[in-house]
């Protein structure tokens, strides 16, 4: 009986300590928020200037990359606008997700961006622009290192593994690889931070799975961006090479020699 009393008293003390720690955390967190608000109010101009300089540096690096290694893209205003539009869409969607629910950042299919860019350009440009976009997003997301690491790995898999995106089977394989990388990196960071797999959030895993399903919409987006920016993808070239099209049927009837030479 005395032993039971000691154990009960110990549990009561531990519970009280946990309550005290939780109250201390709430107080410190509220003080931190108030301090940050005061800091923003007193140094708003300086903070805006700092963010503007960092964003300008990222934009400069993108222009420098295009100028040094992709001169044809750099000299084409439409293509340059398309590149920066994809980055702006990344940032805007992440901002919208954070405004509604911080966990929604896990459901945003950011890997669509490198897939889109690779469809119209090449792997190197797609990955570099995606990396610059992630640096911009790093200013907004919480736990920025783990989130950016997760997206960086998935983006690398998306750009390095995909071939012939117009083939539906290849797209499904890429989606499986991306979702697998999401789950692998999420569980890895959870082990680092919590050291316990039993506390893994299945809600987050579900959001990552929905993220993968969202990547399947890359084909409609390719068509939309083609029409908006007047670009040509492999899908359009396959449609143009369809011998059942009206133009090629007319060519085969009126100029069969030219038609066969064109096919060759």
């Amino acid at each position: 009986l005395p032993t039971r009393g000691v154990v009960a008293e110990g549990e009561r003390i531990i519970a009280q300590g946990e309550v005290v720690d939780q109250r201390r955390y709430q107080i410190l967190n509220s003080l931190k928020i108030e301090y940050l608000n005061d800091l923003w109010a007193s140094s708003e101009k300086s903070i805006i200037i700092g963010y503007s300089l960092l964003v300008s540096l990222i934009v400069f690096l993108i222009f420098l990359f295009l100028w040094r290694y992709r001169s044809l893209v750099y000299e084409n205003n439409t293509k340059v606008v398309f590149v920066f539009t994809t980055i702006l869409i990344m940032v805007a969607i992440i901002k919208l997700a954070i405004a509604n629910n911080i966990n929604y950042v896990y459901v945003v299919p950011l890997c669509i961006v490198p897939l889109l860019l690779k469809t119209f350009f090449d792997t190197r440009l797609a990955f570099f622009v995606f990396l610059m976009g992630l640096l911009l997003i790093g200013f907004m997301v919480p736990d920025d290192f783990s989130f950016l690491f997760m997206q960086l790995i998935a983006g690398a898999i998306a750009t390095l593994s995909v071939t012939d995106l117009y083939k539906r089977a290849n797209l499904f394989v890429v989606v499986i690889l991306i979702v697998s990388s999401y789950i692998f990196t999420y569980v890895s960071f959870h082990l680092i931070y919590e050291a316990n797999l039993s506390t893994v959030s299945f809600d987050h895993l579900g959001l990552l799975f929905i993220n993968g399903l969202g990547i399947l919409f890359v084909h409609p987006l390719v068509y939309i961006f083609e029409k908006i920016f007047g670009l040509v993808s492999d899908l359009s070239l396959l449609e143009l090479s369809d011998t059942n099209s009206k133009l090629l049927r007319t060519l085969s009837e009126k100029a069969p020699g030219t038609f066969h030479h064109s096919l060759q």
Side-chain angles (χ1 to χ4, degrees):
L1 290 177
T3 303
R4 292 180 180 178
V6 171
V7 172
E9 181 67 17
E11 292 178 349
R12 185 182 64 82
I13 294 174
I14 292 174
Q16 289 180 348
E18 291 177 351
V19 172
V20 171
D21 290 339
Q22 186 176 4
R23 290 177 179 175
R24 287 177 179 174
Y25 172 78
Q26 293 174 349
I27 294 172
L28 291 175
N29 191 45
S30 62
L31 291 173
K32 177 183 177 181
I33 294 174
E34 186 176 355
Y35 168 76
L36 292 176
N37 290 334
D38 293 339
L39 179 63
W40 176 264
S42 60
S43 307
E44 181 177 358
K45 292 183 179 179
S46 300
I47 295 174
I48 291 176
I49 291 174
Y51 277 122
S52 300
L53 291 175
L54 292 176
V55 172
S56 301
L57 180 60
I58 293 175
V59 173
F60 170 75
L61 288 176
I62 295 174
F63 273 113
L64 182 62
F65 175 85
L66 296 178
W67 176 63
R68 287 291 304 272
Y69 302 106
R70 298 294 181 273
S71 58
L72 294 179
V73 178
Y74 178 79
E75 295 170 359
N76 190 315
N77 293 332
T78 301
K79 293 181 179 180
V80 172
V81 172
F82 170 70
V83 169
F84 281 98
T85 299
T86 57
I87 297 177
L88 289 176
I89 292 175
M90 285 177 60
V91 176
I93 294 178
I94 287 293
K95 183 66 177 178
L96 183 63
I98 294 175
N100 288 273
N101 189 326
I102 194 65
N103 291 326
Y104 286 171
V105 295
Y106 293 102
V107 81
V108 179
L110 293 178
C111 286
I112 283 182
V113 172
L115 293 177
L116 275 175
L117 293 172
K118 186 174 181 179
T119 301
F120 295 106
F121 303 113
D122 60 273
T123 301
R124 191 174 181 182
L125 186 149
F127 186 72
F128 182 83
V129 173
F130 180 65
L131 177 60
M132 294 296 104
L134 288 181
L135 292 179
L136 290 175
I137 292 173
F139 295 132
M140 301 183 293
V141 295
D143 298 329
D144 49 356
F145 177 75
S146 60
F147 180 80
L148 295 182
F149 186 90
M150 180 189 304
Q151 296 296 338
L152 181 63
I153 296 299
I157 291 175
T159 53
L160 296 176
S161 62
V162 64
T163 56
D164 300 332
L165 186 62
Y166 58 87
K167 296 181 179 179
R168 288 172 293 181
N170 290 345
L171 180 60
F172 279 105
V173 171
V174 171
V175 169
I176 293 173
L177 291 175
I178 291 174
V179 173
S180 300
S181 70
Y182 277 147
I183 295 175
F184 186 84
T185 52
Y186 177 81
V187 172
S188 299
F189 275 106
H190 191 83
L191 285 174
I192 293 173
Y193 295 147
E194 303 294 335
N196 189 358
L197 281 178
S198 63
T199 58
V200 170
S201 174
F202 288 97
D203 292 337
H204 286 172
L205 295 179
L207 293 176
L208 293 175
F209 181 76
I210 297 174
N211 185 325
L213 295 180
I215 298 174
L216 295 175
F217 288 95
V218 67
H219 278 167
L221 289 177
V222 169
Y223 177 79
I224 292 173
F225 280 108
E226 276 185 331
K227 299 304 179 183
I228 294 175
F229 294 96
L231 301 173
V232 179
S233 67
D234 292 342
L235 293 173
S236 296
L237 294 177
L238 286 174
E239 293 175 357
L240 292 173
S241 64
D242 184 7
T243 55
N244 292 319
S245 65
K246 183 178 179 181
L247 178 61
L248 291 183
R249 285 204 311 268
T250 304
L251 182 65
S252 65
E253 294 171 359
K254 296 186 176 181
T258 304
F259 174 75
H260 290 292
H261 283 301
S262 300
L263 290 181
Q264 291 178 353

